[in-house]
Every structure is written in C-alpha cells, then in structure tokens.
Amino acid sequence: MIPAKKFKSVMVAGVCMLAVILGCKKTAAASAAPTAAASPAPAPAALALVATKPLKKGIDAMPELADASTPAAQKINAAMKSSDGAALSMLKDCKSYQRSVQPTMLGPGYFSVWVNESWDCGAYPNVSISVRVFDLNTGDAVDWTKLVSGAGVKSFSDSGADGKQGAPLALVYPALKAIYLKDPDNAGDCQTAYDDDQSFVIWPEAKSGTLQVQAFDLPHVTQACANTMALTSDQAKSLGFNADFLKALAAAHQQPGANKLAAPGN
C-alpha cells in the first residue's frame, strides 16, 4: 500500500506532467495555426474637383481643386483660371475655337489634365493636344526632364507670335522615339513623319495605370501621324522614368473610381 504522503506527491507530479503536456500541445497548435495575412493598405482617395460649367458652348472650363487650403493647390487653381482666360481670348481673336478637357489622374502626388483644342485663326484650321501635369506638393507644372533620366533628354517649348518661348510642353528623348517608331500604329508613311528632335507629350492615365505618349507639334500635313502609344510601368522604368512617379501612377490606378476617369489615348 502506497503511503498517503507519497501518493499525494505522485498525484501532484502527475498533474504537473499533464499540465506540461497540454501546454506543449496548445503551444504546438498555436504555432501550427496559419498567420493572418496583413490587409493591404487602402487606396488613396482621389482629389475632389469643383463642379464647373463650360465657359462657352464647345469650350470646357479647366477643372479646379475643391480643397484649395494649401499654397500648392492655390497655385494650381490659379493656373487653371489663367488657362480659361487664354481660351476666351482665343475665342475673341479667332473665327472659331473649341476645347475639351479631361482629367486623367487625381493624385496621389500628381494631378493631370488632358486638353484637346481646335481653332481657326488663319489660313486653315488647326488642332493641338496638350497636357497639364502638376506636382501636388509644389503646385508647379512638372518638368519631364526632372522625371526622366536618359541620354539626349531635353524639354520642348513652342514659340508664340512674338517669338518668345513658352513654358515647356513636351519632351525630346531619342530612346522614347525609338520605341514609338516600333509601335504598329506608326508604321507606313508615318515612319518618315518625325524629325530628329521629335518631341512628345506625355500624360499619366490612372484608368489603365499606363503612361500615354503622343508625337507633338507635327506639321499640319502629318498631324494624322500623332498616334498615341501606351507605356507600361516596366517599359517606363526601362526608359528611366522616375520610380516615385511610377509608384504614384500605380497607386492612382487602384483608387476607387479610377476606372471612370478619362482615357483619351484609347
């Protein structure tokens, strides 16, 4: 017969051993449980724009930022108003003038507006595609030579009637031209339409998450060759486009409502 004192010690040891075993099983079960995947960061909210009416029939007003609480936003809205004033001046000085405006990226980091203008001010009507891309941190129009690193990169500005150079509107980049010429839409007669220093207008398109590229400032007889080409993120990266800029474009593509933004190049 086991003495009571010894029996009690055996029982205590057994209980302790059982607790250790159960604790090990619980620990093993916990370590075997799958770790919950971290939820992805929410997509950044798109910029809100002020609801605007056309300046005149056939002339869209430039969009303005609804939140103008920062100096950068105020600078952007001032630029939009200045562009509207220039449009009304064109209507006054020309036989006809029309303008359509479509935002293509509403942050983060950048605000982009595609502008299609047509006018009749001289011997024949003319059309022009331009883009306003603003840095939301500074309120300044982007300088593509600061966002692209590559041999032969330089900005292009056209001359006004007074012969003075305007603000940079497009980018000259030989490597970009080489890719542009390989695009099927630029085959045939268009192969000879671009000069050595051909400039390109570029805009970020949040809807597709791509950079859109179009030949700029072509002579009137070859304007039909102003085809639009999309650059994927990988292509843009290989051409030396700024990594932070491309990350911002990728984030814009994930924004709620990005699929409803304009895709004028398509």
Side-chain angles (χ1 to χ4, degrees):
M1 185 173 179
I2 303 174
K5 188 174 181 181
K6 187 173 183 181
F7 178 75
K8 186 177 180 181
S9 297
V10 171
M11 287 293 292
V12 170
V15 170
C16 290
M17 182 63 69
L18 181 61
V20 170
I21 293 171
L22 291 176
C24 289
K25 287 184 177 179
K26 188 174 180 180
T27 303
S31 62
T35 303
S39 57
L47 294 171
L49 301 179
V50 176
T52 57
K53 296 180 179 179
L55 300 177
K56 296 284 185 180
K57 184 178 180 180
I59 305 178
D60 288 346
M62 295 294 285
E64 296 182 25
L65 303 181
D67 182 0
S69 60
T70 65
Q74 293 162 14
K75 186 183 291 188
I76 290 171
N77 283 353
M80 298 291 97
K81 290 184 182 298
S82 177
S83 182
D84 283 347
L88 292 175
S89 179
M90 287 283 288
L91 181 63
K92 180 180 178 180
D93 297 337
C94 298
K95 298 175 187 176
S96 65
Y97 174 77
Q98 291 187 315
R99 180 178 75 178
S100 62
V101 174
Q102 297 177 295
T104 67
M105 181 172 172
L106 300 175
Y110 300 89
F111 171 45
S112 174
V113 182
W114 181 87
V115 182
N116 182 8
E117 298 172 283
S118 61
W119 64 88
D120 185 358
C121 302
Y124 47 78
N126 210 338
V127 296
S128 176
I129 302 297
S130 60
V131 184
R132 310 287 190 269
V133 184
F134 294 93
D135 185 324
L136 290 171
N137 293 314
T138 64
D140 296 325
V142 302
D143 180 350
W144 287 108
T145 63
K146 301 283 196 316
L147 291 177
V148 184
S149 177
V153 166
K154 61 182 180 180
S155 61
F156 173 83
S157 302
D158 59 2
S159 300
D162 56 3
K164 294 182 179 180
Q165 294 289 306
L169 295 173
L171 182 75
V172 176
Y173 186 15
L176 179 59
K177 177 184 173 182
I179 291 180
Y180 191 80
L181 288 173
K182 293 178 182 178
D183 189 271
D185 287 341
N186 297 317
D189 294 340
C190 286
Q191 287 287 313
T192 59
Y194 317 110
D195 62 24
D196 291 338
D197 280 342
Q198 179 61 51
S199 61
F200 297 91
V201 63
I202 304 167
W203 65 93
E205 185 182 275
K207 182 174 183 177
S208 64
T210 62
L211 277 179
Q212 299 290 320
V213 178
Q214 188 178 70
F216 185 66
D217 200 40
L218 292 174
H220 187 266
V221 294
T222 59
Q223 283 184 350
C225 290
N227 301 304
T228 305
M229 176 187 70
L231 287 178
T232 66
S233 179
D234 287 341
Q235 287 175 316
K237 190 180 300 183
S238 70
L239 284 167
F241 279 82
N242 180 273
D244 289 337
F245 173 78
L246 295 178
K247 287 179 182 177
L249 176 55
H253 181 54
Q254 299 300 322
Q255 286 175 337
N259 63 328
K260 296 180 181 178
L261 283 176
N266 300 312

